[in-house]
Amino acid sequence: MADGISYIDGPRLQRCFAAGLERLIGEREFLNKINVFPVADGDTGNNMYRTALAARIAIADGDAPAGELLVRLADGALDGAQGNSGAILAQFFQGLATPLASHDRIDAPSLAAALEEAAVATRSALTTPREGTIISVIDAVARAAAKHRKSGDFARLLPAMLAAGEQALAATTGQLEELSKAGVVDAGARGFVSILEGCVEFLTNGSLRDLQPFSNDSVADFTEHAHHEHDVDLEFRYCTECMLEGADLDPARLRQELAALGNSMVIAGSKTRLRIHIHTNEPETIFDLAAAFGTVSRTKADDMLGQARTLSRVNRDVAIVTDSGADIPEAIMADFDIQMVPLRVQFGEDSHLDKLGMSPAEFRTELLRNPARPGTSQPTPGDLRRMYEFLGTHFKAVISVNLSAALSGTWQSARAAAERTSASERIRVIDSKHVSVGQGLAVVRAAELAAQGLRGAELEAAIELEMGRIKNYALVADLTNAVRSGRVKPLVKHIADWLRLTPVLTSTPAGKVGISGFILGRRNLTTRFARHVARRQQRGRRWRFAIAHGYHEEADAALLGARLQQLLPESECAWQTEIGAALGVHAGMAALVVALCECAPDATASQTPPAG
């Protein structure tokens, strides 16, 4: 063992933290498995992995004074911080870097003093600190450093800190009911200790050897079972985060403003840059309140209820995910454990998370009151990667059925994001060639086929076949938005307006928008629309259809469904729902949409939720 280490300079500090961060990165899957607090959503490993990876990249170049390196480490962690534990870890690094920023090299007393400040700063970042979590371990490590600071020898100081951290980590199991019930330690605390292990390993052995991730087969096996039984009745549903930048930011005041809107709040960073993390039911309100303090960016809201529900499934073979271009009622999403990544909705410079931050009803209201032209954009690469990483670490296969590639860049972005995840070989991204309820039927059918036991290439081929059976029709009273977005040629609108024709749009086999025909006049449109659709379907076939409506009352959608069932006696209505922003921006909210899927001869006509 090396001894007599009286100071740590930049290069040694860089290697020390590199070893620690790589140790944490290697424990990613294990941390996911033991994640039961504050929410058993199985992604603490993913969140700490992203935080550690960003910090590791930030210190890739070790040719810098120790203090400058710590500042880069802290900034990198803050930029990449995800989740509760990731935000807390980023705040710890911020607290550690602040008092040491001007040091060319660091001695043991200086490190011990900085650790005390970091522990205080970390605890102060939380609205309601809980003992038995990462903060308990950080406090124990800071106390051990203070106790051994006079030795002046890092070869003794760091092992003493690690021993105190391991003891505090073991104690977490008995400090929180959730941990005791599952028989595990706190996942965030375990991640912090793994950093210490890597640092001590480098300091005592002097090399960046490959470090085996901490493992305990009996605990891992037990926690797989524990995840199947956890409570998913969450008071606050969305894990919401954003970055806030400004001058002289006031974390205490911001915390006071946000406190009533959720729990598990962490506000980490400095007076110029803050990472906000909170569990809430109102993501958009969080972003709006934060915007009053400075510039908001990197917004995200992950559905913890959906994640926890998905992890409770007995069958962990296949996960189905889509984007918010699909219009599917939440109850059906829950029945099939379908995950959704939101598109972004823009009104001028304001950006909203589709269906999470802005519901279809709120979108319609904003259309009426906001003079800015609305638009949509594909999900961010970060949103897609987070979803794929989460599902890829828990399922053998992930099927992502996305909005038509001919209408949006979402499918291409999804493919790129899937390729950049560690589970890329298990993820398949499929172009639905549809939008709205047409895409929704494709997604639900994919979930049904997976529930029936199809896997691999057979499942993908069956999904592609089913998508070819789907037909979309949209009754669009006003083509203004469709022309503006380039989906319909201006000449079509000119002719329709001139002759008082109501166009019926349809989807082409390539996934583009085409014209199915026109209805003369403006009277009895819903009934005549049903006849138009029915005439284009082969008689004697069985159909499942879904309807989406905008400004139309639900009665219009119900009338359309009733008429279609009369005209196509073998058909059944799968669901009725509201038009989402992905279609509403382009077709307008006065549209009435129906999608039909021809049932295969051996397919069940009813929806069958997957096992578990």
Side-chain angles (χ1 to χ4, degrees):
M1 176 183 287
D3 56 18
I5 302 175
S6 59
Y7 68 88
I8 296 180
D9 59 11
R12 179 175 278 173
L13 185 67
Q14 188 267 351
R15 291 178 174 84
C16 196
F17 268 118
L21 293 169
E22 288 176 8
R23 177 81 177 208
L24 171 55
I25 289 169
E27 290 200 2
R28 174 184 179 179
E29 290 192 14
F30 174 72
L31 297 179
N32 281 335
K33 289 180 179 180
I34 67 171
N35 169 208
V36 297
F37 183 87
V39 178
D41 50 2
D43 68 349
T44 289
N46 291 343
N47 291 334
M48 296 197 85
Y49 162 84
R50 284 189 289 267
T51 307
L53 185 61
R56 177 69 178 88
I57 292 171
I59 61 168
D61 180 7
D63 187 18
E68 180 182 328
L69 191 85
L70 276 174
V71 171
R72 286 181 2 212
L73 173 77
D75 287 345
L78 190 66
D79 285 337
Q82 297 289 337
N84 194 66
S85 294
I88 293 173
L89 182 61
Q91 179 63 14
F92 168 78
F93 286 140
Q94 289 283 323
L96 186 66
T98 299
L100 297 173
S102 62
H103 290 230
D104 289 340
R105 60 187 191 178
I106 302 169
D107 57 26
S110 297
L111 177 63
L115 281 167
E116 286 186 282
E117 290 192 36
V120 172
T122 304
R123 188 173 283 270
S124 66
L126 281 74
T127 304
T128 53
R130 294 288 299 273
E131 300 306 325
T133 63
I134 186 173
I135 59 169
S136 298
V137 173
I138 290 173
D139 286 346
V141 168
R143 289 193 297 268
K147 183 178 179 181
H148 293 83
R149 69 199 307 168
K150 292 183 179 178
S151 71
D153 186 355
F154 279 95
R156 296 182 180 180
L157 177 64
L158 260 65
M161 290 164 51
L162 174 59
E166 290 175 332
Q167 184 177 2
L169 173 65
T172 63
T173 303
Q175 290 177 284
L176 288 170
E177 181 182 354
E178 294 89 341
L179 303 180
S180 178
K181 201 174 186 181
V184 297
V185 296
D186 179 68
R190 172 59 224 173
F192 183 80
V193 169
S194 70
I195 296 177
L196 284 176
E197 288 176 342
C199 289
V200 171
E201 178 73 16
F202 168 74
L203 191 72
T204 56
N205 294 329
S207 65
L208 282 171
R209 302 186 307 179
D210 289 336
L211 301 173
Q212 294 299 317
F214 177 90
S215 64
N216 184 316
D217 292 338
S218 62
V219 172
D221 290 343
F222 183 85
T223 55
E224 286 287 352
H225 177 70
H227 275 305
H228 295 157
E229 298 180 349
H230 64 251
D231 183 6
V232 296
D233 184 18
L234 301 176
E235 180 183 2
F236 297 105
R237 178 168 183 170
Y238 299 108
C239 179
T240 301
E241 294 180 354
C242 65
M243 182 70 80
L244 178 65
E245 297 182 80
D248 199 24
L249 296 174
D250 187 348
R253 186 175 157 221
L254 182 60
R255 190 176 296 111
Q256 185 177 12
E257 290 282 338
L258 301 180
L261 295 172
N263 61 19
S264 297
M265 182 173 14
V266 183
I267 299 181
S270 64
K271 290 187 176 182
T272 58
R273 298 172 73 243
L274 292 174
R275 169 75 71 172
I276 300 171
H277 168 279
I278 186 172
H279 294 171
T280 183
N281 291 325
E282 304 176 52
E284 205 68 34
T285 303
I286 299 296
F287 304 145
D288 289 343
L289 285 174
F293 290 77
T295 302
V296 173
S297 62
R298 303 185 191 181
T299 57
K300 72 96 171 171
D302 291 338
D303 183 357
M304 297 183 296
L305 178 60
Q307 290 177 340
R309 189 169 53 216
T310 294
L311 292 184
S312 70
R313 281 175 49 186
V314 174
N315 175 4
R316 293 286 190 86
D317 282 353
V318 182
I320 305 297
V321 61
T322 188
D323 55 71
S324 62
D327 291 330
I328 311 171
E330 186 172 328
I332 294 178
M333 297 276 290
D335 282 345
F336 289 98
D337 292 318
I338 297 167
Q339 296 288 319
M340 181 175 284
V341 181
L343 279 75
R344 303 285 168 134
V345 183
Q346 288 91 31
F347 283 89
E349 296 182 356
D350 296 331
S351 178
H352 308 268
L353 295 171
D354 183 29
K355 295 182 180 175
L356 297 185
M358 175 174 278
S359 69
E362 290 169 334
F363 173 71
R364 292 199 302 272
T365 299
E366 193 70 8
L367 274 177
L368 293 173
R369 75 164 194 86
N370 196 324
R373 181 182 300 178
T376 57
S377 61
Q378 60 209 41
T380 68
D383 289 343
L384 290 161
R385 283 202 305 274
R386 276 197 316 277
M387 180 62 74
Y388 293 151
E389 291 282 4
F390 165 70
L391 295 174
T393 56
H394 293 286
F395 290 84
K396 296 177 182 178
V398 178
I399 302 294
S400 182
V401 182
N402 294 101
L403 200 159
S404 173
L407 302 178
S408 167
T410 299
W411 174 77
Q412 189 62 46
S413 293
R415 286 193 61 188
E419 290 171 359
R420 294 180 60 189
T421 67
S422 59
S424 58
E425 74 284 354
R426 298 198 295 275
I427 303 170
R428 296 293 178 267
V429 180
I430 297 174
D431 177 6
S432 73
K433 294 185 171 57
H434 297 284
V435 67
S436 187
V437 283
Q439 182 184 347
L441 285 177
V443 173
V444 170
R445 191 63 187 132
E448 288 178 328
L449 292 168
Q452 291 170 13
L454 272 66
R455 297 293 182 267
E458 184 183 11
L459 174 59
E460 292 178 49
I463 293 172
E464 295 280 1
L465 178 63
E466 291 296 319
M467 289 189 307
R469 300 178 188 272
I470 296 171
K471 299 179 182 180
N472 275 321
Y473 300 92
L475 181 70
V476 183
D478 185 355
L479 286 172
T480 300
N481 288 352
V483 171
R484 184 181 293 158
S485 65
R487 269 58 178 184
V488 172
K489 294 180 179 180
L491 179 61
V492 174
K493 180 181 184 307
H494 178 70
I495 294 173
D497 291 344
W498 182 42
L499 297 177
R500 290 185 57 78
L501 301 174
T502 302
V504 177
L505 306 182
T506 189
S507 56
T508 70
K512 295 182 179 181
V513 175
I515 300 294
S516 175
F518 295 89
I519 297 175
L520 181 60
R522 299 288 191 266
R523 299 183 62 182
N524 299 322
L525 283 177
T526 301
T527 297
R528 294 163 71 194
F529 178 43
R531 292 173 187 160
H532 176 98
V533 172
R535 281 198 301 268
R536 282 154 180 78
Q537 317 312 318
Q538 291 187 17
R539 301 296 177 179
R541 301 293 180 93
R542 295 169 53 216
W543 303 93
R544 174 191 294 181
F545 62 87
I547 296 171
H549 60 87
Y551 291 140
H552 290 266
E553 298 293 333
E554 290 185 16
D556 294 315
L559 176 61
L560 175 61
R563 291 289 183 264
L564 284 174
Q565 286 181 310
Q566 290 173 353
L567 296 166
L568 301 170
E570 298 298 322
S571 66
E572 68 162 11
C573 184
W575 68 80
Q576 296 176 16
T577 191
E578 296 175 292
I579 292 174
L583 179 63
V585 162
H586 305 295
M589 296 305 290
L592 187 59
V593 185
V594 61
L596 303 93
C597 179
E598 181 184 349
C599 298
D602 58 345
T604 177
S606 61
Q607 296 173 4
T608 306

